Amino acid sequence: KQWYQRRVREKYQAKLAALFPTLNITVASKADDKYPICGASSICAKVCRDRCMSEWVFPEKGYDITESGCGYPSDPKTKKWLVDNIDKVFGFPQFVRFSWSTAEKIIDKHCVQVTWDDAEEDEENIPKINSFFKRVKKQTEIPRHRFYHEQGLSSLTEI
């Protein structure tokens, strides 16, 4: 059995190999260009994401996905949608990955800067709002978004 992984650091290969010792794992940048199977899975993922985006119904009111672009953070249409659909206090609807550096920069530029009057610490020690949306090194079990439950999706634990 073979597993190809793209867009992660090569050191991740050892971690995956430890988790799945029966697989021959290849981690490489641009793997979707180098390995046909990885390119095919990339196309499948894009088709699935496009379908999810086209059928998405926002639980928050007043958002329209039709002009959101391809969904990649480097896409000018996607960036425009992000800027046009940001709430200056609450940020983005849950549809947006707050952890994207693109989203982070837009929040920094377009959202209201919050200063807490009761903060006793120096301003240097006050976390930015973006810090609450970043992954932490030690993950505890976090409930997955309802989309995964509604679609019957679960994490892969063995192959």
Side-chain angles (χ1 to χ4, degrees):
K1 295 179 181 177
Q2 181 73 34
W3 176 342
Y4 295 95
Q5 181 73 42
R6 66 184 189 106
R7 291 191 181 194
V8 292
R9 293 180 206 115
E10 271 71 14
K11 69 179 184 179
Y12 196 56
Q13 186 162 341
K15 184 177 181 177
L16 288 172
L19 289 170
F20 302 99
T22 61
L23 298 179
N24 180 11
I25 297 173
T26 301
V27 174
S29 60
K30 305 285 185 189
D32 46 348
D33 292 336
K34 296 176 185 175
Y35 305 100
I37 190 71
C38 203
S41 68
S42 181
I43 291 167
C44 291
K46 173 83 171 104
V47 168
C48 289
R49 186 177 62 249
D50 288 350
R51 181 172 180 201
C52 287
M53 287 178 64
S54 71
E55 296 175 0
W56 185 263
V57 176
F58 285 95
E60 308 93 342
K61 303 291 182 234
Y63 293 101
D64 181 15
I65 200 69
T66 57
E67 297 297 321
S68 65
C70 69
Y72 288 112
S74 61
D75 175 40
K77 218 172 172 185
T78 298
K79 287 181 185 178
K80 181 179 180 340
W81 187 92
L82 290 171
V83 170
D84 291 347
N85 288 280
I86 193 165
D87 181 285
K88 295 191 182 312
V89 175
F90 299 107
F92 299 109
Q94 64 176 293
F95 181 76
V96 176
R97 288 187 204 166
F98 281 75
S99 60
W100 277 351
S101 64
T102 304
E104 204 173 305
K105 289 173 187 170
I106 292 170
I107 287 173
D108 286 344
K109 185 175 180 181
H110 296 280
C111 285
V112 174
Q113 296 298 313
V114 177
T115 304
W116 302 103
D117 291 335
D118 61 344
E120 296 176 14
E121 302 166 309
D122 295 334
E123 285 193 28
E124 296 171 6
N125 296 327
I126 297 173
K128 293 172 66 175
I129 189 73
N130 297 353
S131 68
F132 296 101
F133 301 107
K134 293 184 178 179
R135 285 188 187 260
V136 290
K137 292 198 189 295
K138 185 178 180 184
Q139 273 289 351
T140 55
E141 187 65 32
I142 298 173
R144 299 191 81 186
H145 186 273
R146 64 181 174 82
F147 171 82
Y148 293 95
H149 297 289
E150 290 169 0
Q151 301 300 318
L153 302 173
S154 61
S155 297
L156 176 71
T157 55
E158 64 179 60
I159 295 180

